[in-house]
Amino acid sequence: MNPLESLRLAWRSIRGHKLRSALTTLGIVIGIAAVIAFVSLGASLQAGIIGDISPDDQRSLYGWAAEPNTEGGPLAGAQPVFTQDDLEAVEELEDVEAAYGYATIQTQALSDGNETVAQGNGLVASGPSYIREEQLAEGRRFQMGEREAVINPAAAGQFEENVTVGDELTVAFLGGQRTTIEVVGITDTSEGLSPFEGFESSPRVYVPTDPYYTEQAARLGFGGGNGDTANGGGDDRGGGNESATDDPARFLAIVVEAPSDDQAAIDAAREAAVDYLESDRSDASERMGDDLEVQLRTSTELLQQLQDVLDLLRNFIVGIAAISLLVGSIGIANIMLVSVTERTREIGIMKAVGAQNRDVLGLFLTEAVILGVIGAILGTGLGLVAGYFGAQYIDLPLVYPLEYVALAIVVGMLVGVLAGLYPAWRAARTDPIDALRYE
């Protein structure tokens, strides 16, 4: 039998039972749509996060001290051990471009003139190079030791009139102390600048660790009471330095920058910094002992944990979809067996007029494959639409994994072939005499 004739007969049979054929392909549609939608969302999420890492950020190493094999994300199990002297010594190392502490400072409110807005942990203390030049929409980076700040657009837009470079803001810290900061720059994005912050958009104010973090350490009584920063420079700190100690302020998190984003340069900076910080020359070694070790990781390495979670989720969804495809293939096989039974006399007539077993086999296989391919095409379209709306809802850049679209069509054909093989073989082996007697 001509293949086109088999195709025409198979299509006629499908059209003759539209509702039954539609229900048969439903399992294939759901399975393929689930795979395409979730794989698209996973690829979009990955592109959204990885895309936020600029080439300069890839040369930054984010570090903390914790017990080995501590599970969790960045700063899991971290202890405050690093002093400013440690960071200055690390910055002097040949393979290191810059080193500074990182901390979030607890605040209550941010005021612009008479207007005040709530500001929780939106004060980020770091080094000047934490904010890269290309990330500044206007102004400049803050300087260490100065009461200056760089804000992001979300923080600038909190007030009735947008804050601009040169304006002064008043920060109210937890406990009631206040200080005034001068805005010297505004970033071009409200998203976080490193894995320590996360990459979601929120109001943030970036300030130097000196004096803001050292003053907070003095107020909270875990160091920072041995210098001017604990006792001067603020506008009105309300006697928050009674608990200051003679110990220097210690950082929970640090950032070490390599001279370039070349992997060899990053590895050299990491090795040099870890060697110093874990040696007896550093202040950190006094508190680390034998229980803690320094961990320095790039953004890419930290995000690999997220990638592992996404891969696990994708495999889970593919497993669920595989069950749906199995159910769909069983449905196709069941319908094809019913079709063989219903068309027994037709099979007998075909064989009586000269049709061979392979012709009958090809006819029913073609019908099963058509059902599988229709399910795959509809499922692919539905999955692409669901992926689009999902990415728009979460505000992610849309990425379609096109290889999965081609794979979906192939899977649909395979499901049709496997599901239709036994019914077609059974139809081909039907005895024409018995078939003609069948009522």
Side-chain angles (χ1 to χ4, degrees):
M1 183 182 297
N2 189 313
L4 291 178
E5 185 66 16
S6 295
L7 188 63
R8 188 185 67 79
L9 292 174
W11 182 244
R12 187 186 66 179
S13 175
I14 292 173
R15 291 188 60 188
H17 305 86
K18 292 179 182 177
L19 180 60
R20 187 172 73 182
S21 300
L23 293 176
T24 302
T25 58
L26 196 56
I28 307 296
V29 172
I30 294 174
I32 297 293
V35 171
I36 297 296
F38 282 97
V39 170
S40 297
L41 286 176
S44 299
L45 181 60
Q46 180 179 355
I49 294 175
I50 300 297
D52 286 328
I53 303 175
S54 71
D56 276 352
D57 186 53
Q58 294 178 18
R59 66 188 176 96
S60 297
L61 290 159
Y62 300 92
W64 61 92
E67 293 184 2
N69 303 320
T70 301
E71 296 184 356
L75 300 178
Q79 299 292 326
V81 298
F82 307 106
T83 66
Q84 184 60 36
D85 288 342
D86 286 338
L87 298 171
E88 291 175 358
V90 170
E91 192 169 85
E92 294 297 322
L93 297 174
E94 182 180 359
D95 296 318
V96 175
E97 181 72 15
Y100 46 86
Y102 173 92
T104 55
I105 297 178
Q106 295 179 320
T107 58
Q108 290 181 323
L110 191 65
S111 301
D112 179 21
N114 295 325
E115 191 177 356
T116 300
V117 296
Q119 184 81 13
N121 290 327
L123 210 63
V124 178
S126 64
S129 58
Y130 181 77
I131 301 167
R132 291 168 288 281
E133 291 286 358
E134 65 274 13
Q135 291 176 321
L136 286 170
E138 57 180 303
R140 60 174 175 81
R141 297 187 289 198
F142 57 72
Q143 295 180 357
M144 194 65 81
E146 300 294 334
R147 293 191 176 275
E148 299 175 339
V150 173
I151 63 177
N152 66 9
Q158 292 183 108
F159 303 96
E160 187 173 342
E161 292 186 6
N162 282 356
V163 176
T164 60
V165 172
D167 289 351
E168 289 190 343
L169 301 175
T170 301
V171 179
F173 296 99
L174 194 65
Q177 300 85 1
R178 294 175 179 271
T179 190
T180 300
I181 57 176
E182 178 187 0
V183 177
V184 297
I186 299 177
T187 62
D188 60 356
T189 177
S190 295
E191 296 176 345
L193 303 182
S194 77
F196 281 159
E197 296 179 52
F199 294 102
E200 73 282 2
S201 297
S202 64
R204 292 184 176 90
V205 178
Y206 299 98
V207 296
T209 54
D210 178 17
Y212 294 100
Y213 177 70
T214 49
E215 286 182 358
Q216 184 197 44
R219 283 195 299 271
L220 299 179
F222 56 87
N226 61 338
D228 294 339
T229 54
N231 303 305
D235 295 329
D236 177 16
R237 293 189 298 281
N241 60 344
E242 292 87 348
S243 57
T245 70
D246 291 334
D247 291 334
R250 292 182 182 264
F251 292 95
L252 194 71
I254 61 174
V255 181
V256 176
E257 296 181 4
S260 72
D261 60 358
D262 180 74
Q263 188 59 47
I266 294 173
D267 291 340
R270 184 190 339 242
E271 183 177 356
V274 170
D275 284 347
Y276 174 80
L277 293 171
E278 291 185 344
S279 70
D280 294 337
R281 295 172 292 163
S282 70
D283 296 334
S285 62
E286 299 172 1
R287 294 195 177 185
M288 289 173 56
D290 297 330
D291 298 329
L292 306 180
E293 70 175 20
V294 176
Q295 302 185 36
L296 289 174
R297 299 178 186 174
T298 63
S299 293
T300 304
E301 291 168 348
L302 291 172
L303 291 174
Q304 184 60 44
Q305 294 177 322
L306 175 61
Q307 181 63 52
D308 293 341
V309 173
L310 292 176
D311 290 342
L312 183 63
L313 177 62
R314 183 185 60 188
N315 294 335
F316 177 73
I317 295 299
V318 170
I320 298 276
I323 295 175
S324 178
L325 289 174
L326 177 63
V327 173
S329 64
I330 293 174
I332 291 178
N334 182 50
I335 290 303
M336 293 307 301
L337 286 173
V338 172
S339 180
V340 169
T341 303
E342 290 178 345
R343 296 158 65 185
T344 300
R345 283 183 62 83
E346 180 184 343
I347 296 170
I349 293 172
M350 289 175 61
K351 288 197 169 184
V353 297
Q356 302 296 315
N357 286 348
R358 64 173 179 275
D359 297 326
V360 178
L361 183 74
L363 174 64
F364 283 91
L365 264 183
T366 301
E367 189 172 332
V369 169
I370 289 175
L371 289 173
V373 170
I374 289 176
I377 292 174
L378 293 178
T380 300
L382 182 61
L384 292 177
V385 171
Y388 171 79
F389 283 109
Q392 292 295 315
Y393 180 75
I394 309 175
D395 193 21
L396 293 173
L398 181 62
V399 176
Y400 282 136
L402 297 181
E403 65 274 16
Y404 275 82
V405 175
L407 184 62
I409 305 298
V410 173
V411 168
M413 293 179 64
L414 287 176
V415 168
V417 169
L418 294 176
L421 202 55
Y422 173 70
W425 173 79
R426 181 176 169 181
R429 289 180 59 84
T430 301
D431 184 84
I433 303 297
D434 294 337
L436 289 172
R437 290 175 178 171
Y438 184 80
E439 295 293 339

